[in-house]
Amino acid sequence: MKNYAGLIGKLLFVVVLFAILYSYAMFQGGFVSWFLFFAMLPFVLYMFGLTFYPLSSWEFNRSFSKQILQTGDKVNIELTIHRKLPFPLYYCIVEEYLPPTFDRVGMKAGGYQYLANPNALTSEQKIKRVSFPWFKRKIRYQYTFDDVPRGEHHFHTIRVKTGDFFGFIRKQHYFTVPSSILVYPNQRAVGISKRMNSFEEGATPSSSPMKKDTTIVTGIREYTPGDRFSWIDWKNTAKKNSMMTKEFEPQKSSDVMLVLDASEVEASKSLAFEGSVELSASLIQAYKRMSSQLGFMILGEERKLFPFTKDVNQHNNMNHYLARVEANGKMSFADSLLLQHNSMPNNLVLMIVTNSLTPELKGTLTRLKQTHAHIVVFYIDANERIGPNEQQIVRELTISGIVVNVLTENEMSQNAFEVNT
């Protein structure tokens, strides 16, 4: 109804303007008045045509230089308009309504210097482009985004505005053009000071590099270059008249369960949560390279579990979920973790990534330590927010045998993560 009222109002304006000019020429007479009438006639006819010109018939297409990116990458976006009727347009303004998830800047490691003030990396994004298409049937607009933030970003609405030369007639129309891009969390190299190993899956892990266990002999085989001299089985070598080597049982890496705290966080800790996601993605990639069996659990609004696996596709699914995850869990992380206690196998290497250390979480971790061989905590927060209470919790957890890695601005701004396990 509002659109019809606007159309009628514009049409009346053009008709009244034409009537005034014609009446002036008829009653005034003379060269000047008729010259003014005929000089203005093309503009009046143009306004009349523009009033009925259907912007809604335009077809929009939005294309991206890349559909899948990593945090901090650059993306080029092109909008293409196809017009069936080449009606002359003096100007055309296209405004892209960006998703709210684009308001934050997707910085790489250097952005974590603002861990205490994430608002410094937040800015409202506006895209508005002007062109003078005249008779063109195809109009293109291009723009670029640097430092794209993590997440799944959905683009929807585009507004188009145009008008006549004098601004008497103005038209606008909203187009819905759905499309999206997926931005994965940034992945960095992870320097792990120790590697958890065990002789059998589920057994107590030891802090030594992965190697062959030279105490459990499972058979013999022919010597191959690279075998140690001490591995030669002299008895069987003499029997077979050929160099034979002992075959040992290789050590197997312990099952590792990585748990991400996705409970609701304050706005001041939003960047700390992004750091938690980035560290989790980097740890998944590191254990993927080690061919270790890794399970992954996210405790937020819903519980999401990726079972133990070495499958590459499963690791990709983990990263795909990390691209979309948000901190929106209503239950405290300590309570959520405690609820999962009975569903997790015993004697795991349990790795916890969180941005909040509370007495409740300390109590939960202490209980978990009774049934799990090794627990490692990655605590990410701004240095100024780590007060005496948090420092005391770190000391108590360390005394109880839990490894705690505190990652502040300095550690998070490095090109690689250096952690202890």
Side-chain angles (χ1 to χ4, degrees):
M1 193 68 183
K2 186 178 179 181
N3 292 335
Y4 283 113
L7 178 63
I8 293 172
K10 293 172 184 176
L11 185 60
L12 286 175
F13 175 81
V14 174
V15 171
V16 170
L17 181 62
F18 178 80
I20 291 173
L21 291 172
Y22 182 74
S23 300
Y24 176 74
M26 285 292 293
F27 291 104
Q28 182 69 22
F31 174 79
V32 175
S33 59
W34 283 105
F35 176 82
L36 181 62
F37 172 76
F38 284 110
M40 289 295 298
L41 185 59
F43 296 100
V44 173
L45 293 176
Y46 177 79
M47 287 188 282
F48 186 80
L50 183 61
T51 302
F52 288 97
Y53 178 67
L55 289 180
S56 58
S57 64
W58 290 11
E59 295 179 0
F60 264 85
N61 179 60
R62 184 192 293 108
S63 61
F64 302 92
S65 57
K66 291 186 288 185
Q67 294 278 158
I68 298 177
L69 306 95
Q70 269 201 340
T71 302
D73 285 354
K74 180 174 73 172
V75 61
N76 299 316
I77 303 176
E78 181 177 87
L79 294 174
T80 305
I81 303 173
H82 296 275
R83 300 195 300 151
K84 296 179 181 179
L85 181 64
F87 184 84
L89 293 178
Y90 172 56
Y91 72 90
C92 180
I93 300 175
V94 171
E95 184 176 358
E96 174 87 82
Y97 284 76
L98 299 174
T101 51
F102 254 60
D103 287 347
R104 63 178 187 265
V105 180
M107 299 291 290
K108 291 187 182 289
Y112 287 100
Q113 62 182 304
Y114 302 103
L115 206 57
N117 181 28
N119 290 333
L121 296 178
T122 302
S123 61
E124 185 178 357
Q125 302 280 358
K126 290 185 177 180
I127 295 297
K128 188 179 289 187
R129 295 290 185 270
V130 182
S131 67
F132 303 93
W134 291 104
F135 292 94
K136 290 181 181 177
R137 289 177 178 266
K138 182 181 290 187
I139 310 169
R140 285 191 176 92
Y141 298 89
Q142 293 180 335
Y143 55 94
T144 301
F145 278 112
D146 298 317
D147 302 323
V148 179
R150 179 190 65 86
E152 187 175 30
H153 308 289
H154 297 275
F155 295 76
H156 288 283
T157 306
I158 298 172
R159 183 173 70 168
V160 175
K161 297 172 67 177
T162 188
D164 66 298
F165 303 93
F166 305 108
F168 294 143
I169 303 297
R170 296 179 182 177
K171 300 193 70 173
Q172 69 173 10
H173 189 78
Y174 292 88
F175 295 86
T176 300
V177 187
S179 55
S180 63
I181 58 173
L182 185 64
V183 183
Y184 284 99
N186 185 36
Q187 293 180 359
R188 292 186 241 172
V190 181
I192 302 176
S193 62
K194 294 181 181 179
R195 174 80 184 278
M196 298 294 108
N197 296 297
S198 63
F199 296 108
E200 294 181 295
E201 291 186 22
T204 303
S206 60
S207 302
S208 60
M210 181 177 281
K211 58 185 178 182
K212 283 182 177 292
D213 174 33
T214 56
T215 61
I216 303 176
V217 180
T218 58
I220 58 172
R221 58 175 172 79
E222 290 187 359
Y223 175 86
T224 57
D227 289 342
R228 295 182 183 178
F229 184 80
S230 60
W231 294 353
I232 298 175
D233 188 330
W234 295 108
K235 185 176 180 180
N236 284 289
T237 296
K239 285 182 180 181
K240 297 181 179 291
N241 198 26
S242 177
M243 194 74 75
M244 305 299 292
T245 303
K246 298 174 184 177
E247 186 77 24
F248 302 102
E249 179 179 349
Q251 291 179 331
K252 299 177 182 179
S253 60
S254 297
D255 291 344
V256 178
M257 173 61 78
L258 179 64
V259 183
L260 172 63
D261 175 6
S263 56
E264 192 171 19
V265 299
E266 306 167 7
S268 60
K269 287 193 173 187
S270 60
L271 191 55
F273 177 73
E274 291 300 315
S276 298
V277 173
E278 185 173 327
L279 176 60
S280 299
S282 300
L283 287 170
I284 290 170
Q285 183 67 18
Y287 278 92
K288 174 183 172 183
R289 291 195 183 100
M290 296 176 191
S291 298
S292 296
Q293 195 156 258
L294 176 74
F296 184 40
M297 183 186 298
I298 301 99
L299 297 179
E301 185 177 22
E302 61 178 357
R303 168 185 173 271
K304 181 67 176 179
L305 175 63
F306 295 92
F308 295 100
T309 183
K310 296 181 182 179
D311 183 53
V312 175
N313 291 330
Q314 183 76 311
H315 286 132
N316 292 336
N317 291 337
M318 294 178 187
N319 284 321
H320 192 79
Y321 191 86
L322 282 174
R324 300 173 172 175
V325 69
E326 296 293 338
N328 51 15
K330 302 301 181 183
M331 183 182 293
S332 72
F333 178 62
D335 292 339
S336 298
L337 187 59
L338 192 58
L339 285 175
Q340 307 305 319
H341 181 201
N342 295 328
S343 63
M344 289 188 289
N346 294 337
N347 296 313
L348 287 174
V349 175
L350 192 59
M351 294 186 172
I352 310 292
V353 183
T354 183
N355 48 59
S356 180
L357 274 187
T358 63
E360 292 77 17
L361 182 57
K362 186 199 76 171
T364 298
L365 293 174
T366 303
R367 288 188 59 179
L368 291 173
K369 187 68 173 69
Q370 298 172 5
T371 54
H372 294 293
H374 196 73
I375 297 180
V376 181
V377 177
F378 302 97
Y379 172 43
I380 302 173
D381 207 350
N383 188 59
E384 67 180 45
R385 284 198 292 263
I386 303 177
N389 293 335
E390 287 77 13
Q391 293 173 4
Q392 180 63 25
I393 292 173
V394 171
R395 285 192 292 268
E396 292 175 0
L397 290 175
T398 304
I399 291 172
S400 66
I402 297 173
V403 179
V404 182
N405 294 269
V406 180
L407 306 176
T408 60
E409 290 89 341
N410 184 50
E411 291 78 16
M412 294 299 296
S413 297
Q414 304 301 317
N415 291 326
F417 291 114
E418 297 292 337
V419 297
N420 295 318
T421 57

